[in-house]
Amino acid sequence: MKRFTLPTALFLLLASGTALAHPGHDGGLVAGLTHPYTGLDHLLAMVAVGLWSAQQPAKDALWKIPLAFVSVMAVGAFMGMTGLPLPQVENGIVASVVFLGLLVAFSLRLHTGVGMALVAAFALFHGYAHGAEAPRDSLAAFATGFVLATASLHGLGVALGWYTHRRAEVILRVGGAGVALAGAWLALN
């Protein structure tokens, strides 16, 4: 596993699609599973949640912070699917990439509950974007797919963060700075 972690993450980053591209989606589970992997903004934010969770001193942060994200993302998706208004969705998504990257870069350690609240705020925007563009003929399958894909990206981030945090914190922090810079680049494009 050690040899596949970093190359896999780099592949996913390089293979991701255009940032902030949230076009309509074809239906089904497969579309939901692939969507979080095909937008650089989503991909970076999801992995960063896992990375930052691994930096936290409380062991339960490894699962509570990602779970908070996924749970509130589902609420945001429901809001988007039903047409409830949420202003500044794209700006919230870009802000999440920058902010989550900075959390990793500065290795900011917070109480787990505070960390959960922070990621939940950003999750609302990510979920809303997924839900607003979900295909209406297969909402449940699409939602199931993007929830599972998001959880897998969080898991990738946790694994990378846990492994790197215990061996070379500087690499993890430089990676966080890279995420923040990518978020700044997304904001300019």
Side-chain angles (χ1 to χ4, degrees), residues 73-147:
M73 183 186 71
V75 171
F78 177 77
M79 290 174 61
M81 288 174 184
T82 58
L84 292 170
L86 181 65
Q88 302 296 318
V89 172
E90 294 297 335
N91 290 333
I93 291 171
V94 171
S96 76
V97 176
V98 173
F99 193 75
L100 291 165
L102 290 173
L103 289 174
V104 174
F106 289 106
S107 191
L108 186 62
R109 287 156 172 82
L110 299 172
H111 183 275
T112 302
V114 174
M116 292 168 65
L118 280 173
V119 300
F122 292 128
L124 196 63
F125 293 108
H126 285 272
Y128 192 92
H130 288 305
E133 295 145 3
R136 299 299 177 229
D137 61 340
S138 59
L139 288 175
F142 183 81
T144 300
F146 76 72
V147 165

